[in-house]
Amino acid sequence: MGRAKPAAAKAASPAKPAEEDAPEPIKLTNLYDAGALKGALDEVAREVVLDAGFNEDVMVSNIKLLLGFTAIGSGLLAQFGPGKFPANWWMVFGCVVAYLVLTTLLNLYSWKVEGEAFLVTRPFRGGKGVRVSSRMGRWSDEFTLVITDREDPSLEVTSQHAIPEFFHSNGYMADGAWRAAVEKLTSSYLERLAARRGKKDD
Amino acid sequence: MMEFITETYKELKRMNVRQFLGQALQLGLIVTSALMIWKSLMLVTGSESPVVVVLSGSMEPGFYRGDILFLNMGKAPIRTGEVVVFNLDGRDIPIVHRVIKVHERRNGTHIDVLTKGDNNFGDDRALYNKGQDWLHQHHIMGRAVGFLPKVGMVTIIMNDYPYLKYALIGVLGLLVLTNKDA
């Protein structure tokens, strides 16, 4: 596609901002912050998968937001609701119980449907959509990107990378290199999906 | 400090609406969890204010300014000698003093209570509203059942310097909104 530039070439001109159109390239102030590194890599990976044609399954996010904001509403009702404590004891009790139930549901739903994934997509090209997740060891600089089919968890592709390959010492992310890596993984998933569908159709 | 603000602003701009809502939700849930813990304490103790900070020195040497008091209402009748927390009509700030007189109807429907701070010269009639000589059941929020010395000084400082409170909440809120961990 022409966008894939080896990291070494990019290192020659790190000061040039976005060769792509809108967003600025990601710059981290603290390269030792594991959470920020993972977050940055996840964010770009998510963009790449969506660019490849997948659509985010917003129903998942909508349900979580609905459960969450209802739980907050229950809290607001407990605090600002009518009546004076202890006269409204039962109402406050109801709010606390509602809050516990809603947050439990929220966490259960998130655990079951999303798991560790940071992106869940809708059905695409015959598959039922994918979960994109990543793993990063606590003290290691190895980053594993995983794309799992939602319907059939055995259909999974992973790739391992060394994080320092994708960040310059001045904090800028080597956008082109990382995007290329993610695209490669996405294509390999789509190939395996097509191959499996091909086998089934026989 | 400036850099923290510009970095935060850039981070927030990168997010789309959905992501921002997600982070706002996280922040809201954290605050609501704390609130729910407080409400549970209220439910269990039956008191509107299960934990209060002693604001004045009127109960020295028993309680000092900045001490935290744990309250419980309970169904037992109010008796002299108990340290109670009461709220006067129209005033927000609860007062913690000792009960020195109780008048009770025989059928137990009505009580008149008089209080006094251990360290004060006179009884609390000087504090009560104009024309009020006694406290009644609905004024009493609870009895002191435990205390932690000096821990409440933080609250007093935050109340004396409100901008500190807002600054602290603002910084914590920003940190949660831009947290990439969850």
Side-chain angles (χ1 to χ4, degrees):
Chain A
M1 272 182 101
R3 272 199 292 174
K5 286 197 189 131
K10 200 58 166 61
S13 59
K16 187 166 42 139
E19 341 116 287
E20 354 247 9
D21 14 87
E24 270 182 37
I26 300 183
K27 177 178 189 300
L28 297 178
T29 40
N30 178 9
L31 282 172
Y32 291 104
D33 180 359
L37 287 171
K38 182 176 189 300
L41 290 172
D42 285 349
E43 198 178 314
V44 175
R46 161 192 246 272
E47 282 172 17
V48 173
V49 172
L50 292 177
D51 282 344
F54 287 92
N55 287 315
E56 186 181 356
D57 187 355
V58 289
M59 183 55 66
V60 174
S61 167
N62 287 345
I63 292 184
K64 280 174 47 176
L65 286 174
L66 180 70
L67 284 174
F69 279 108
T70 311
I72 294 183
S74 171
L76 290 174
L77 185 65
Q79 175 67 11
F80 301 109
K84 197 162 151 37
F85 198 78
N88 61 358
W89 196 96
W90 281 105
M91 188 187 87
V92 177
F93 180 70
C95 288
V96 174
V97 168
Y99 177 79
L100 286 172
V101 166
L102 286 167
T103 43
T104 311
L105 279 178
L106 176 63
N107 287 322
L108 272 178
Y109 182 78
S110 181
W111 177 66
K112 277 253 71 197
V113 176
E114 266 185 350
E116 322 170 301
F118 56 82
L119 175 64
V120 179
T121 67
R122 304 185 61 222
F124 183 69
R125 299 247 186 106
K128 288 284 187 195
V130 295
R131 280 198 191 102
V132 185
S133 57
S134 66
R135 285 189 277 269
M136 196 169 96
R138 209 182 172 132
W139 307 117
S140 88
D141 58 2
E142 214 174 63
F143 185 89
T144 310
L145 186 64
V146 182
I147 301 184
T148 320
D149 187 88
R150 271 173 90 173
E151 188 183 14
D152 180 4
S154 67
L155 176 54
E156 181 179 277
V157 290
T158 66
S159 65
Q160 280 181 320
H161 308 274
I163 295 180
E165 270 178 36
F166 303 106
F167 287 94
H168 300 297
S169 54
N170 62 3
Y172 277 98
M173 182 196 241
D175 231 47
W178 177 236
R179 282 177 191 268
V182 181
E183 274 165 26
K184 193 158 152 233
L185 190 67
T186 315
S187 317
S188 88
Y189 167 79
L190 288 171
E191 276 165 33
R192 282 189 55 182
L193 177 66
R196 170 152 324 183
R197 286 196 63 226
K199 264 203 297 197
K200 277 208 190 135
D201 289 344
D202 284 344
Chain B
M1 185 66 206
M2 247 347 258
E3 171 146 334
F4 173 69
I5 298 190
T6 41
E7 283 304 315
T8 312
Y9 178 63
K10 275 199 216 150
E11 287 241 4
L12 289 175
K13 251 183 29 168
R14 288 191 83 91
M15 293 189 205
N16 59 27
V17 178
R18 192 168 282 276
Q19 271 182 297
F20 180 75
L21 276 180
Q23 297 291 85
L25 182 71
Q26 295 235 311
L27 176 62
L29 282 176
I30 292 176
V31 173
T32 313
S33 295
L35 179 67
M36 283 320 190
I37 293 178
W38 180 254
K39 290 291 165 193
S40 309
L41 263 183
M42 278 172 67
L43 290 171
V44 162
T45 62
S47 163
E48 208 180 308
S49 218
V51 182
V52 294
V53 177
V54 176
L55 294 174
S56 75
S58 55
M59 283 297 280
E60 291 180 17
F63 303 126
Y64 291 89
R65 194 170 130 86
D67 288 350
I68 289 200
L69 287 182
F70 298 103
L71 308 178
N72 197 343
M73 192 58 226
K75 299 267 196 316
I78 312 268
R79 289 287 175 255
T80 52
E82 290 178 341
V83 176
V84 296
V85 174
F86 58 91
N87 245 134
L88 292 166
D89 296 329
R91 292 197 223 160
D92 280 326
I93 309 183
I95 306 176
V96 188
H97 284 166
R98 197 179 298 274
V99 174
I100 58 172
K101 276 192 194 166
V102 177
H103 290 185
E104 210 178 61
R105 299 268 185 284
R106 266 184 220 276
N107 56 13
T109 54
H110 186 86
I111 52 168
D112 294 329
V113 171
L114 179 62
T115 58
K116 175 182 173 300
D118 290 348
N119 206 20
N120 288 346
F121 187 72
D123 62 34
D124 284 348
R125 288 204 171 111
L127 286 175
Y128 298 166
N129 290 327
K130 206 167 163 63
Q132 178 184 5
D133 284 335
W134 301 96
L135 290 177
H136 304 298
Q137 186 71 49
H138 70 268
H139 291 111
I140 313 247
M141 289 202 309
R143 285 170 260 239
V145 293
F147 95 118
L148 274 180
K150 285 303 176 189
V151 176
M153 263 322 216
V154 179
T155 315
I156 291 186
I157 294 176
M158 296 258 215
N159 269 319
D160 287 345
Y161 305 102
Y163 64 78
L164 229 123
K165 205 183 345 181
Y166 300 132
L168 188 66
I169 295 180
V171 170
L172 286 176
L174 278 179
L175 280 175
V176 172
L177 276 178
T178 55
N179 183 15
K180 288 203 180 272
D181 275 347

